[in-house]
Amino acid sequence: MKNDYEIKNSKEVKLSEKVRFRCMRCGECCRHVSQTVVIEPVDAFRLAKFLQCGIEEFYDKYTDMFLVDEKTAFPVFTLKTTGNENSCIFLKGNRCTVQESKPRTCRLYPFWVHPCEDGFSYNYSIERRHHPRGSLVCVKDWMHENFREEDKAAMQEDWRVIPQIAGILKKLQPYDESIREFVLSRMLYFRHFAFELDKPFQIQFEKNNKELIAVLSKRLA
Ligand code: SF4
């Protein structure tokens, strides 16, 4: 699902297309990013490993949590920002200090990828004026280099399970405080915290989603 900002500031492209792109290495894309750089569970898993900290510690130290809406208690995480310019917490000077493990959204930039019926759709950001200049970039090559198999698998899993989870959350409404607490704690545990960093991500993600759906469904019964 694309949000309004993405629709307004991007245009859809096909894998076979070539677009002009110029990176000035100015770090501007990493400033003014309050509540913007979304951290998916697979990003948190990779970054916690890279930073050699626990996964809950990673969320606590480096991210802000907010809810998609007050009704559902569906948590979303974004990277914390610092300073007057709301710079990403990992930006030092003009340099990303987690380059090797930076979130999917940063690796794919200036493209956005969305899951759809046929696989994925691709958008090219036109929010910075200097970007659509410079040399030609083939979308397919960019994706080949930056869109990792583990990101594709995680996105496809979310495409499959999020409608199921959202359906259950809707049936549990209206929430009183105890249901809200129950939903939020289960969502946080199964989708974000219950991962062993020395084991593969995807297999744990699929198992956790399955258990989450079972636990939420049980509450409905
Ligand atoms: S993680 Fe790195 S690339 Fe992404 S916004 Fe932060 S500093 Fe920039």
Side-chain angles (χ1 to χ4, degrees):
M1 178 80 87
K2 301 177 183 94
N3 64 38
D4 291 346
Y5 179 82
E6 289 178 352
I7 290 168
K8 197 168 141 228
N9 291 290
S10 67
K11 65 178 184 118
E12 195 158 352
V13 286
K14 303 229 175 309
L15 275 180
S16 55
E17 277 182 60
K18 288 182 179 174
V19 296
R20 293 207 176 272
F21 175 60
R22 183 169 65 179
C23 172
M24 311 272 282
R25 305 205 184 283
C26 58
E28 269 311 294
C29 301
C30 311
R31 297 190 180 94
H32 310 289
V33 290
S34 176
Q35 293 202 334
T36 304
V37 186
V38 173
I39 293 296
E40 304 286 351
V42 67
D43 295 319
F45 183 88
R46 252 189 321 244
L47 280 160
K49 272 175 92 161
F50 178 77
L51 296 164
Q52 299 185 332
C53 62
I55 201 152
E56 286 197 52
E57 186 189 348
F58 168 78
Y59 278 111
D60 195 41
K61 261 171 115 168
Y62 301 109
T63 69
D64 290 319
M65 186 194 89
F66 60 96
L67 301 179
V68 171
D69 65 56
E70 279 305 315
K71 281 192 206 152
T72 55
F74 198 115
V76 173
F77 291 87
T78 56
L79 285 181
K80 279 187 197 291
T81 55
T82 58
N84 295 340
E85 294 189 302
N86 280 322
S87 301
C88 171
I89 193 163
F90 293 128
L91 185 70
K92 293 286 170 282
N94 291 343
R95 199 175 73 82
C96 172
T97 55
V98 293
Q99 182 68 19
E100 298 86 338
S101 295
K102 64 187 182 183
R104 183 193 76 227
T105 189
C106 305
R107 239 177 310 112
L108 293 181
Y109 194 79
F111 296 95
W112 281 304
V113 176
H114 306 272
C116 63
E117 290 297 337
D118 312 330
F120 298 99
S121 69
Y122 306 89
N123 275 58
Y124 174 54
S125 162
I126 48 174
E127 65 184 344
R128 309 267 174 201
R129 282 207 206 140
H130 61 267
H131 279 170
R133 297 178 186 179
S135 46
L136 282 170
V137 169
C138 176
V139 181
K140 193 174 171 189
D141 292 345
W142 192 272
M143 293 306 147
H144 182 69
E145 209 170 307
N146 298 298
F147 196 15
R148 297 179 181 172
E149 289 306 316
E150 62 186 358
D151 288 317
K152 290 181 193 169
M155 284 180 93
Q156 275 160 340
E157 166 71 0
D158 267 348
W159 175 253
R160 190 181 69 77
V161 297
I162 285 182
Q164 289 179 51
I165 295 169
I168 303 169
L169 297 189
K170 202 168 172 194
K171 285 187 193 153
L172 283 168
Q173 289 167 20
Y175 294 169
D176 59 21
E177 263 320 296
S178 78
I179 297 185
R180 178 177 299 282
E181 206 185 304
F182 168 80
V183 168
L184 189 55
S185 65
R186 296 327 183 261
M187 293 285 286
L188 289 174
Y189 178 74
F190 286 111
R191 284 191 49 88
H192 299 279
F193 301 156
F195 290 94
E196 291 178 56
L197 296 179
D198 56 351
K199 297 197 173 141
F201 172 81
Q202 187 65 20
I203 200 161
Q204 298 183 76
F205 191 43
E206 289 175 18
K207 181 172 160 282
N208 287 1
N209 276 326
K210 209 168 164 185
E211 285 181 29
L212 172 66
I213 289 169
V215 165
L216 293 174
S217 303
K218 203 167 165 196
R219 182 78 186 220
L220 264 183

